[in-house]
Amino acid sequence: MKNLMRYRINIFLALVMLANFAKGQTHRFIYDVIYKKDSTSNVTTKENYILDIRNSETVFYTRDFYLADSLINNNIPFPKDMKLNTSNIITHKIGNNLFEEYDLIENTVLNLKSENSQNWKLTDEKKQIKNLTLQKATTDWGGRHWIAWFTTSFPFPEGPHKFHGLPGLIIELSDDKNNYHFVLAKNEKIANPEENQFIENSKQMSIPVDWKKYTAMKLNYYESPVSFIKNGIGNSKVEDFFLNDGTVVNSQNQREINNQLRNAIKKYNNPIELDKAITYP
């Protein structure tokens, strides 16, 4: 009971400090993320993800969206060979468990709302990384067992993806099967932040869905990715178009691209929330 009370007091203090500390500026935390797209393989992918904390909201997104925003703001067309990682955008109001997830399926954006929280178990184990003292916490969530290391040096009860609720920022996070490993690589303060136009445009064009409709649309995409993308463009008769990764699709390679996309969807089906993995036929 004593530890529970201390935990609740720490969360309260973190929220109070956050209200005073974050006002009028963005605190940006950049994570190195090493993960397995295919759970049956030992091959890993390394990418950078950004956690922006501004006032009472957080936004978590791939660094590619930061690069896309720079191109938009400078009126520079997207290079045809630009390999854009269209991972989900996740927003969260600090102090509650409500999250909004924007899933970019090429030119279609699905907006899924959900409530998420973790039942953290704090331990007395600590370690030092550079000038930060980290404390260990564990939880079972999303079909995986997670180990987190957080610090009260950053007064934000937040972390990557949908992880939150600890009395400080999550600096390192991994699951016990080594499918995902997040490590804070850099942090900075931005005094006069501007909206990320790529993210804002994605949010504005999003389609609100519940879980049932979300899974139905994901399965619909899997059935025929090329047809799904054409319908999203608004012209099912269009012949040539680009995928977000820069691939050119035309009448000659549509069948091949369609099969490649289907195979990739089924093979790379290892989401952070394993209990929400969609079963593809």
Side-chain angles (χ1 to χ4, degrees):
M1 180 63 71
K2 183 177 180 181
N3 288 336
L4 179 61
M5 287 298 296
R6 183 176 63 180
Y7 173 68
R8 288 175 175 172
I9 290 171
N10 285 339
I11 287 288
F12 173 75
L13 291 175
L15 289 171
V16 171
M17 292 174 69
L18 174 63
N20 295 323
F21 190 52
K23 187 176 181 180
Q25 60 184 334
T26 290
H27 294 261
R28 175 164 293 165
F29 300 93
I30 302 174
Y31 290 85
D32 286 335
V33 185
I34 300 174
Y35 68 101
K36 296 178 182 177
K37 292 184 177 181
D38 178 1
S39 62
T40 65
S41 171
N42 289 323
V43 176
T44 59
T45 299
K46 182 178 180 180
E47 295 173 356
N48 287 128
Y49 279 76
I50 295 173
L51 174 66
D52 280 346
I53 301 178
R54 182 180 182 184
N55 295 332
S56 60
E57 183 180 50
T58 71
V59 185
F60 184 70
Y61 56 98
T62 175
R63 184 174 178 271
D64 283 11
F65 294 168
Y66 170 80
L67 300 177
D69 179 64
S70 297
L71 294 176
I72 292 172
N73 285 331
N74 290 285
N75 295 316
I76 301 174
F78 281 37
K80 293 183 178 181
D81 60 348
M82 182 177 180
K83 303 295 184 181
L84 185 63
N85 171 24
T86 51
S87 297
N88 295 5
I89 301 163
I90 299 174
T91 65
H92 167 54
K93 295 292 186 181
I94 299 173
N96 63 41
N97 296 325
L98 181 62
F99 286 78
E100 289 197 56
E101 190 167 357
Y102 299 87
D103 188 349
L104 282 70
I105 308 177
E106 297 299 335
N107 54 349
T108 299
V109 184
L110 304 181
N111 176 12
L112 180 65
K113 294 182 176 66
S114 61
E115 290 198 11
N116 300 272
S117 62
Q118 294 82 38
N119 183 22
W120 292 104
K121 296 180 180 178
L122 276 66
T123 75
D124 293 328
E125 188 174 347
K126 295 183 179 181
K127 68 178 181 180
Q128 199 79 16
I129 293 184
K130 296 181 179 179
N131 61 335
L132 296 175
T133 299
L134 309 185
Q135 185 175 349
K136 182 180 179 181
T138 63
T139 189
D140 291 310
W141 180 80
R144 303 183 192 273
H145 179 71
W146 297 92
I147 301 96
W149 293 90
F150 70 93
T151 180
T152 56
S153 296
F154 294 113
F156 306 109
E158 301 298 321
H161 190 64
K162 299 176 185 176
F163 292 92
H164 67 120
L166 286 168
L169 184 76
I170 296 175
I171 302 299
E172 185 176 351
L173 176 72
S174 61
D175 71 288
D176 62 347
K177 304 298 182 183
N178 293 317
N179 283 278
Y180 285 87
H181 188 194
F182 302 80
V183 180
L184 182 66
K186 182 181 178 182
N187 71 281
E188 58 185 343
K189 297 178 185 178
I190 304 172
N192 298 301
E194 297 181 356
E195 295 288 356
N196 185 302
Q197 294 303 310
F198 183 87
I199 292 177
E200 291 305 310
N201 291 342
S202 298
K203 290 165 65 175
Q204 290 174 15
M205 67 180 288
S206 65
I207 304 169
V209 294
D210 57 16
W211 178 249
K212 183 177 180 180
K213 188 173 182 180
Y214 177 81
T215 55
M217 293 189 74
K218 295 284 279 189
L219 287 169
N220 188 27
Y221 174 56
Y222 172 76
E223 284 300 316
S224 181
V226 169
S227 295
F228 186 96
I229 296 167
K230 283 185 174 182
N231 290 333
I233 293 173
N235 183 0
S236 61
K237 295 182 179 180
V238 67
E239 292 294 337
D240 297 354
F241 57 91
F242 288 94
L243 301 182
N244 285 331
D245 66 359
T247 301
V248 180
V249 182
N250 54 47
S251 57
Q252 286 74 41
N253 67 1
Q254 281 191 17
R255 177 174 294 183
E256 178 186 356
I257 296 298
N258 201 66
N259 290 334
Q260 288 177 0
L261 290 172
R262 280 172 55 87
N263 291 336
I265 292 168
K266 195 166 185 177
K267 180 179 181 181
Y268 301 132
N269 189 23
N270 186 32
I272 293 176
E273 298 170 59
L274 188 59
D275 57 355
K276 291 185 178 178
I278 295 173
T279 302
Y280 296 102

